[in-house]
Amino acid sequence: MTALDLSSPVAVVGTGTMGQGIAQVALVAGHTVRLYDAVPGRALEAAAAIGARLDRLVEKNRLAGTDRDEARARLRPTEDLTELADCSLVVEAVVERLEAKQELFRQLEDVVGEDCLLATNTSSLSVTAVGGALRNPGRLVGLHFFNPAPLLPLVEVVSGYATDVTSATRAYETARSWGKTPVACADTPGFIVNRIARPFYAEAFAVYEAQGADPATIDAVLRESGGFKMGAFELTDLIGQDVNESVTHSVWRSFFQDVRFTPSLAQRRLVESGRLGRKTGRGWYDYSEGNAEQGEPHTAEKAQPPAYVVAEGNLGPASELLALIREAGIQVREEEEDHGTRLVLPGDGQLALADGQTSVEFRDVVYFDLALDYRKATRIALSASQDTSTQTMSEAIGLFQALGKDVSVIGDVPGMIVARTVARIVDLAHDAVAKGVATEEDIDTAMRLGVNYPLGPFEWSRRLGRTWACSLLDDLHERDPSGRYAPSLALYRHSYATEKREGAS
């Protein structure tokens, strides 16, 4: 099954921001596009707005003037649903209410031909449920664009329970012919991106609720150590706290209140207070005039670096630190340890990579957080308990400062910030593959393009070692046996099979 021919008219129903964006994508690809909105006059207003955006593309030399003129000629707003009768694809982008979408598609089924492909852009509803109202649910597919649709490349092509393979394939190939990067997905709550991205927000909020660190520090660690483009607090302020929380609640309810998707009480209070982020002038941060700064992250004062460190083992995912320490002129004494992943400091304290345990459990241990790239990272988070010696803390801070890093000291939070976030994302990704939601390749693509992650979950898993996430989550689960951190059966099997292969070699 191939993509729709460019001679085939496409319709978009619903002319809000997303509907206009989808219409623009189809229009620039070469289709005749019909715009319909139930509110009189809205389709004409949307056509004018799309035309203005095409003008700006010409001004920026991203679109030729002749192409703009031809596109404008193909854009046809309409006040009557019956004018969509000859369309080969209708994409709805109306309000996120199941009854409204079902009623629309019932009406469309009486208007369009039997071979017309019907698509919903829903981000939170079941595609199966939307299609359940149709006489022929096999022709309904999810086409979930990301906002702004003309700019973001990802499209999740979602097959409902009754969606025909031919319908899903045609939708996939059409999205690709429009210059998008489609990924195939089963009809599961949150699809790919909104399902697997939940820990990015949830773990940041959990660290905050545990008084482990303030929002500015958590965001800085996620950006400067984890390699994320934005931290969880600034990103949800941009999205809108009400919108982000609504998606979280939708996924949580759809998974029968699975503890892994539990919403944040702190975010609930923020929404209740009307502090919804940038659009209201205040969210986690204050955006009022003259006070647009997001606050400064906690950064430790200058400390003296240690003269040497003793490396017990190779530090696992943090092994590149040894080369950086030597380059900084600090002596590294190496001792062979079968399972060693720590540095011993001159005062006999220890420095270890976050592993899901807490500093208070040990005599004198400082944990450091995971980094995407320790050489490029500009900030490292450290955690310690009230019993950690002043000397050990000072030596740990001085060591990372000698490597050119800013240091943020947070509370004694198991798994810290980046490590627990990445481990949970990896776990949900393995669980999704095992349950037939999507392939590893499509999940990695979706998370890189849909939410701009520096690596896909499986790319991260291979880089960190394929038993790393399961081990960290096991330790976290021991300290929080609510089930939130229990490794999925899929991740456990993956980790156990890897250990067996390595043991046999």
Side-chain angles (χ1 to χ4, degrees):
M1 182 65 64
T2 58
L4 293 177
D5 190 270
L6 291 180
S7 63
S8 302
V10 170
V12 176
V13 178
T15 58
T17 301
M18 184 58 76
Q20 291 180 30
I22 296 170
Q24 182 179 328
V25 170
L27 195 64
V28 172
H31 289 274
T32 293
V33 175
R34 295 199 173 89
L35 285 176
Y36 173 82
D37 198 291
V39 179
R42 286 275 180 85
L44 276 170
E45 293 173 3
I50 293 169
R53 282 199 291 274
L54 295 177
D55 288 341
R56 288 195 291 274
L57 290 176
V58 172
E59 292 169 5
K60 296 177 181 179
N61 294 318
R62 295 178 183 172
L63 184 70
T66 54
D67 291 337
R68 174 203 52 200
D69 295 342
E70 291 173 0
R72 274 183 163 172
R74 294 194 302 271
L75 183 57
R76 299 176 187 175
T78 177
E79 301 281 321
D80 192 336
L81 205 62
T82 60
E83 292 187 37
L84 311 186
D86 64 337
C87 290
S88 297
L89 166 65
V90 180
V91 183
E92 73 74 19
V94 302
V95 64
E96 281 286 278
R97 290 203 312 268
L98 179 61
E99 297 79 9
K101 293 180 186 292
Q102 288 178 328
E103 177 58 27
L104 170 64
F105 281 116
R106 276 194 289 262
Q107 293 176 35
L108 285 169
E109 206 168 24
D110 291 333
V111 170
V112 300
E114 292 186 2
D115 60 346
C116 177
L117 182 64
L118 301 177
T120 172
N121 184 58
T122 183
S123 61
S124 60
L125 299 176
S126 163
V127 172
T128 301
V130 173
L134 297 179
R135 295 190 298 272
N136 176 18
R139 62 164 155 175
L140 181 84
V141 64
L143 272 181
H144 180 216
F145 289 77
F146 288 73
N147 193 30
L151 297 180
L152 294 185
L154 185 70
V155 177
E156 292 176 320
V157 181
V158 186
S159 293
Y161 186 79
T163 302
D164 292 335
V165 173
T166 53
S167 298
T169 302
R170 172 167 283 182
Y172 185 99
E173 294 300 332
T174 297
R176 185 159 63 177
S177 74
W178 291 356
K180 296 300 179 182
T181 303
V183 291
C185 176
D187 186 18
T188 183
F191 309 144
I192 298 175
V193 173
N194 280 329
R195 172 180 177 150
I196 295 173
R198 292 351 289 164
F200 178 74
Y201 313 108
E203 295 311 309
F205 298 161
V207 172
Y208 169 75
E209 290 174 344
Q211 299 187 48
D214 61 277
T217 299
I218 296 169
D219 278 354
V221 172
L222 286 168
R223 289 193 312 269
E224 299 173 41
S225 184
F228 294 96
K229 298 297 183 184
M230 298 181 74
F233 296 90
E234 58 185 333
L235 180 55
T236 52
D237 268 357
L238 179 63
I239 294 169
Q241 298 301 330
D242 53 339
V243 175
N244 181 262
E245 191 205 29
S246 176
V247 173
T248 298
H249 270 269
S250 175
V251 173
W252 176 61
R253 288 192 302 268
S254 297
F255 277 114
F256 308 104
Q257 300 184 5
D258 186 329
V259 69
R260 295 176 302 166
F261 301 102
T262 301
S264 162
L265 180 59
Q267 188 181 38
R268 175 91 291 259
R269 294 290 179 260
L270 202 66
V271 172
E272 289 174 338
S273 72
R275 296 180 175 182
L276 307 182
R278 288 181 179 271
K279 62 187 176 183
T280 61
R282 189 160 187 181
W284 296 110
Y285 301 111
D286 187 351
Y287 301 95
S288 58
E289 188 175 352
N291 192 27
E293 295 299 322
Q294 295 180 358
E296 289 296 320
H298 172 271
T299 303
E301 296 292 331
K302 189 70 176 175
Q304 188 69 25
Y308 68 90
V309 295
V310 178
E312 295 185 349
N314 64 8
L315 298 187
S319 58
E320 64 182 319
L321 278 176
L322 298 180
L324 298 180
I325 293 170
R326 290 189 178 96
E327 291 170 17
I330 298 172
Q331 183 183 4
V332 178
R333 303 173 185 173
E334 296 192 54
E335 292 186 0
E336 292 294 328
E337 289 283 340
D338 288 342
H339 301 288
T341 56
R342 61 186 179 177
L343 295 173
V344 180
L345 300 165
D348 208 29
Q350 298 176 17
L351 188 59
L353 176 63
D355 58 7
Q357 301 182 87
T358 57
S359 179
V360 75
E361 301 170 50
F362 305 98
R363 185 181 64 81
D364 197 14
V365 169
V366 173
Y367 278 107
F368 64 93
D369 207 352
L370 180 69
L372 173 69
D373 184 327
Y374 283 98
R375 184 174 292 277
K376 294 180 180 178
T378 58
R379 183 177 298 272
I380 295 293
L382 302 179
S383 70
S385 74
Q386 64 272 20
D387 299 327
T388 303
S389 72
T390 302
Q391 180 180 354
T392 297
M393 194 75 249
S394 179
E395 288 175 344
I397 292 171
L399 175 64
F400 281 103
Q401 287 175 339
L403 306 186
K405 318 298 183 188
D406 288 328
V407 176
S408 291
V409 179
I410 70 171
D412 191 13
V413 179
M416 301 191 70
I417 298 170
V418 179
R420 70 195 288 173
T421 299
V422 171
R424 287 208 58 216
I425 289 170
V426 167
D427 181 53
L428 289 186
H430 277 277
D431 184 54
V433 169
K435 292 176 178 174
V437 173
T439 65
E440 291 186 8
E441 181 181 3
D442 275 358
I443 288 175
D444 277 352
T445 297
M447 301 313 290
R448 280 189 285 99
L449 298 184
V451 277
N452 213 12
Y453 284 3
L455 293 174
F458 294 98
E459 294 171 320
W460 231 318
S461 182
R462 288 188 289 272
R463 175 183 288 202
L464 295 170
R466 301 181 79 179
T467 63
W468 175 84
C470 189
S471 176
L472 186 142
L473 291 174
D474 262 334
D475 283 337
L476 268 170
H477 177 57
E478 185 177 336
R479 284 145 190 83
D480 178 1
S482 64
R484 177 187 180 109
Y485 299 103
S488 66
L489 181 58
L491 185 65
Y492 176 79
R493 284 173 170 160
H494 178 78
S495 177
Y496 187 77
T498 300
E499 287 181 340
K500 282 183 66 176
R501 287 195 298 270
E502 290 175 350
S505 60

